[in-house]
Amino acid sequence: MARPKQAIINDLMGELDKFGGHITNIRDAIQSKGVTSEGKLFKFAEEINNIEPASTYGYILDAVKGAYSKGYSDSELVGIINNLANKNQPPQPQPGPNPAPAFDAATATEIPARQFYGRSDLEGELTCPNVVKVGAEAFIGCEYSVVKLTKATEIDKEAFKFSQIKVLSIPNFVWKDSNLDLRDVYENKYGLNKIVVADESVPPSDISLNKVDFEVYNHDETKKWDIYRNVWKPV
């Protein structure tokens, strides 16, 4: 059976009364946010949209908007935030670089580049009976005065430059074509007093012009290089 028209009208009026109460609540809430609309719905929408958040997090929201403008998505921003370090925990010590392995002169087969770089605490004599290769700048600033590398055949040109070495024994190394830089810390071209090299060596011809007391010997020291005539002579 259909409801009487009056009952339907009464229900509608009741709903309108309720709606009026809701409108009042909405008005009060919007006014508390600073809206002063002229009463036009479209202006209401514009004004509500432009309300600055009354929050201490407003600058964060601005940063989020900036991130959106740079192409970041919600999931990316959430991932960044979730992965932030916990500042409430004390910082954990970070592992440092692995220390260089200790150099064993008795067993080493190579002296890596810069192995003794700046080691002014290393003095006296260094003997490495098994080293065959010496890297660049291995002895710069080092204060070894005597270095003996009896098997070395691969020596970088700058291995001994700017060192304090006075006696260098490399009897298996062929010294020629200026393939060794022997400048000392004072930029003297030849800082050594004595060097022992392979018999096939042809030392530079300018030794007599730079250091007349520089002694050059063959592998077993049975011959000495004549720095004036540039030939080997029996001792």
Side-chain angles (χ1 to χ4, degrees):
M1 181 176 179
R3 294 184 64 199
K5 288 184 178 181
Q6 189 59 47
I8 295 173
I9 291 172
N10 291 338
D11 288 344
L12 287 172
M13 293 303 295
E15 288 299 317
L16 286 172
D17 289 338
K18 292 180 182 179
F19 186 71
H22 294 324
I23 288 295
T24 300
N25 292 336
I26 292 171
R27 180 201 63 197
D28 293 340
I30 292 175
Q31 286 180 342
S32 70
K33 297 294 184 180
V35 175
T36 57
S37 173
E38 298 176 10
K40 303 296 184 180
L41 288 177
F42 78 93
K43 289 190 175 181
F44 239 173
E46 286 183 359
E47 194 167 355
I48 292 171
N49 188 54
N50 290 326
I51 293 175
E52 291 295 329
S55 167
T56 56
Y57 297 103
Y59 68 97
I60 297 178
L61 296 178
D62 288 339
V64 171
K65 290 178 184 177
Y68 286 149
S69 69
K70 295 178 182 178
Y72 287 90
S73 66
D74 287 348
S75 59
E76 289 173 322
L77 294 177
V78 170
I80 291 171
I81 293 172
N82 286 340
N83 287 315
L84 292 175
N86 187 350
K87 297 185 72 173
N88 294 320
Q89 293 181 349
Q92 299 299 313
Q94 298 298 314
N98 293 328
F103 182 81
D104 187 343
T107 60
T109 58
E110 177 181 354
I111 298 177
R114 294 195 164 197
Q115 174 66 49
F116 305 117
Y117 188 96
R119 293 290 304 275
S120 59
D121 58 312
L122 299 176
E123 301 175 348
E125 180 176 322
L126 172 68
T127 299
C128 301
N130 298 300
V131 164
V132 296
K133 183 176 181 180
V134 184
E137 302 181 340
F139 289 87
I140 284 184
C142 177
E143 294 192 5
Y144 280 127
S145 57
V146 179
V147 174
K148 298 180 179 180
L149 311 174
T150 55
K151 291 184 179 179
T153 56
E154 300 178 54
I155 300 177
D156 188 276
K157 179 179 179 178
E158 298 185 341
F160 305 113
K161 76 172 185 178
F162 303 150
S163 72
Q164 300 281 4
I165 300 171
K166 295 302 177 184
V167 177
L168 176 61
S169 179
I170 44 176
N172 279 294
F173 181 77
V174 178
W175 182 27
K176 60 182 179 181
D177 301 326
S178 299
N179 58 352
L180 281 182
D181 185 342
L182 298 178
R183 286 177 293 167
D184 64 12
V185 294
Y186 306 106
E187 290 285 351
N188 297 309
K189 188 167 185 180
Y190 300 107
L192 299 174
N193 292 333
K194 175 182 176 181
I195 189 171
V196 178
V197 292
D199 294 55
E200 299 82 7
S201 298
V202 182
S205 59
D206 64 351
I207 294 177
S208 63
L209 300 176
N210 289 277
K211 188 168 186 178
V212 296
D213 59 347
F214 186 12
E215 297 181 331
V216 182
Y217 293 92
N218 71 329
H219 82 284
D220 59 0
E221 301 189 44
T222 58
K223 296 178 182 179
K224 184 178 181 181
W225 184 255
D226 187 326
I227 63 174
Y228 298 103
R229 296 179 176 80
N230 296 314
V231 294
W232 289 109
K233 286 187 173 182
V235 175

